[in-house]
Amino acid sequence: MKIGIITFHRAINYGSILQAYALSRFLRDEVGENNVEVIDYQNCAQKKIYKLFEFPKNIKSALRDIQTLANICALRRKYKKFEEFAICKLGLTAKKYGESDIVALSNDSKKYTHLISGSDQIWNVKCADFDENYFLTFNENAKKIAYAPSLGRLDFANAEKEFIRCNVKSYDALSSREKISAGYLRKLCGREVECVLDPVFLLPASRWNKIAAKPADSEKYILCYFIGNVPGMRRFAKGLSRKTGLKAISIIKNLRDIFSGFETRLDAGPQDFLGLISNAEYVVTDSFHAVSFSLIYHRKFWAFSPSESAGERGSWTRIPNLLNIAGLENRILNADNCDSVNIYESIDFKKVDSNLVPQIEKSKLFLRKSLGVIK
């Protein structure tokens, strides 16, 4: 057996690289260290998205470049950590591939008995870095498995629907990360589609601790990781810090948070991200994977989402879907309710685990059955 995985593993994004690690690590534990590879594929669009500097199109983008330049040393350390993690931890192919190397990728992929798409938003055709190779169009021989890919938004045009429908035909086993996406694919393709958990849940906290980097400072803190600009989120974090007397540490995703007044981490790599979450007293975030690791590490957290209606329409389904499974819908906040919650409310993680463990085992079973490891 030889397994190849294709996913967004080169994105300078904590969730993307850690979910790639989790799937690769779980499968290597299952079928052998040398029998699993992450195909080192990255298209030009993704490289462009994560360039440190962008060509200034307007005043806003020029200001971003100025901020990047002012923090260039820390940001270069961060990028280096991502690169080293990918090389040392993921089990990459010896070759790198891009759009111009598809003939080579097609030939080289003949060695695989199984190919896996997933996880992350690799099937979100509206993503700037999406391309058809994430549907494994470069190979016609291997058994094809979709493990927890996300479609993102579901408001597809007819041509996009047909593109998805045609490309999933060749898959031997289908799954998706969100219940709503699984239902959408089931209806679109007329096939069984399992709803499985994100790959990060395939590994227990004890396994993540083996690679997590413990923060140097032993002082207690609130961890903030903000992806978007959800109304009330930053105000809530400042209020939580003031009321608890705990300092707030912000892992910087958006350079505007440099001026938040929080203690900042611009150079945090994937292992720092794990360590900062696992040692936090509270986590405040709108990140799906920050919420996921808060659950894995049993950290008190508050997750922000714009509104339920926005969640039904788009990518915000990720957090509500996960917290519905965990039985923690009450930890979802928005501008309307964030000022009225009891910030000291505890989480019964025994109950959370009792909800998640059956779904984790179901997800592992899907992979094992799809690979033929068990019948």
Side-chain angles (χ1 to χ4, degrees):
M1 180 180 290
K2 189 76 171 178
I3 302 168
I5 302 167
I6 191 163
T7 188
F8 285 165
H9 69 288
R10 282 285 183 181
I12 308 301
N13 176 293
Y14 301 108
S16 294
I17 198 167
L18 290 171
Q19 63 81 23
Y21 169 79
L23 183 56
S24 173
R25 182 68 271 161
F26 173 77
L27 291 174
R28 282 182 281 166
D29 290 344
E30 289 285 308
V31 301
E33 195 72 28
N34 298 319
N35 294 327
V36 182
E37 292 180 330
V38 174
I39 297 170
D40 202 359
Y41 177 81
Q42 185 183 36
N43 59 33
C44 292
Q46 191 173 90
K47 290 177 183 178
K48 184 178 179 181
I49 290 170
Y50 294 103
K51 283 179 67 176
L52 272 171
F53 293 98
E54 57 183 292
F55 183 80
K57 307 181 210 54
N58 49 43
I59 293 175
K60 192 174 180 180
S61 61
L63 287 173
R64 276 198 295 267
D65 278 348
I66 291 169
Q67 282 187 319
T68 297
L69 185 61
N71 297 281
I72 191 64
C73 292
L75 291 171
R76 280 180 173 160
R77 286 197 300 273
K78 174 182 174 178
Y79 274 55
K80 184 179 179 182
K81 288 176 182 179
F82 271 82
E83 176 70 13
E84 290 175 347
F85 186 88
I87 292 171
C88 298
K89 302 293 185 185
L90 296 188
L92 298 177
T93 53
K95 290 183 185 178
K96 289 185 178 182
Y97 303 94
E99 299 101 316
S100 61
D101 307 305
I102 299 307
V103 172
L105 176 55
S106 180
N107 288 328
D108 294 344
S109 71
K110 290 175 183 176
K111 66 183 175 183
Y112 299 119
T113 57
H114 298 78
L115 285 167
I116 301 178
S117 296
S119 175
D120 218 339
Q121 293 193 61
I122 59 166
W123 283 4
N124 183 349
V125 299
K126 297 182 184 296
C127 279
D129 48 352
F130 168 81
D131 72 48
E132 65 177 15
N133 292 299
Y134 294 105
F135 278 100
L136 302 173
T137 53
F138 54 84
N139 184 287
E140 297 178 356
N141 303 310
K143 288 190 175 181
K144 297 181 181 181
I145 302 163
Y147 185 78
S150 177
L151 296 172
R153 296 180 66 93
L154 302 179
D155 53 345
F156 299 119
N158 287 334
E160 292 169 332
K161 290 179 185 178
E162 184 61 18
F163 175 83
I164 295 168
R165 191 186 65 79
C166 288
N167 278 289
V168 299
K169 280 182 179 179
S170 61
Y171 278 78
D172 298 276
L174 288 171
S175 70
S176 185
R177 192 175 63 183
E178 287 83 40
K179 185 178 180 180
I180 191 170
S181 294
Y184 184 90
L185 283 171
R186 203 175 292 126
K187 185 177 178 181
L188 182 67
C189 309
R191 292 185 55 187
E192 181 56 35
V193 182
E194 289 272 12
C195 182
V196 295
L197 292 181
D198 188 273
V200 299
F201 289 99
L202 298 173
L203 304 181
S206 58
R207 195 59 185 266
W208 286 112
N209 281 334
K210 290 183 178 181
I211 62 168
K214 189 174 181 180
D217 190 351
S218 60
E219 185 181 350
K220 293 182 178 181
Y221 59 89
I222 299 162
L223 182 69
C224 303
Y225 181 52
F226 307 137
I227 293 179
N229 195 23
V230 184
M233 180 169 61
R234 290 166 175 81
R235 185 182 76 246
F236 176 84
K238 288 178 180 179
L240 184 62
S241 176
R242 185 177 65 254
K243 291 171 185 175
T244 60
L246 299 172
K247 69 177 181 179
I249 296 176
S250 179
I251 298 177
I252 300 299
K253 171 69 167 63
N254 297 294
L255 289 176
R256 64 169 169 263
D257 286 317
I258 291 171
F259 307 106
S260 63
F262 300 150
E263 188 175 310
T264 59
R265 295 285 190 278
L266 280 90
D267 63 349
Q271 292 167 273
D272 301 310
F273 180 80
L274 292 172
L276 284 165
I277 291 178
S278 66
N279 288 278
E281 294 297 309
Y282 291 89
V283 176
V284 181
T285 189
D286 59 340
S287 158
F288 171 82
H289 281 103
V291 171
S292 298
F293 282 108
S294 296
L295 294 172
I296 290 168
Y297 279 121
H298 292 183
R299 297 294 90 192
K300 289 175 285 188
F301 70 92
W302 294 101
F304 273 78
S305 177
S307 68
E308 288 185 14
S309 59
E312 288 303 311
R313 290 197 308 270
S315 61
W316 292 104
T317 55
R318 292 176 292 172
I319 291 174
N321 180 78
L322 175 60
L323 294 185
N324 177 263
I325 294 169
L328 289 176
E329 299 95 328
N330 64 319
R331 307 304 287 196
I332 302 174
L333 301 181
N334 55 47
D336 298 327
N337 65 1
C338 66
D339 294 323
S340 59
V341 298
N342 174 13
I343 62 169
Y344 301 105
E345 185 178 358
S346 61
I347 298 174
D348 183 352
F349 278 108
K350 284 187 178 179
K351 187 175 180 181
V352 171
D353 288 345
S354 71
N355 291 332
L356 286 176
V357 167
Q359 298 303 314
I360 293 170
E361 293 307 312
K362 174 188 170 186
S363 301
K364 291 177 179 179
L365 184 62
F366 171 81
L367 278 169
R368 289 168 179 149
K369 281 189 172 182
S370 300
L371 293 168
V373 175
I374 61 172
K375 298 297 182 183

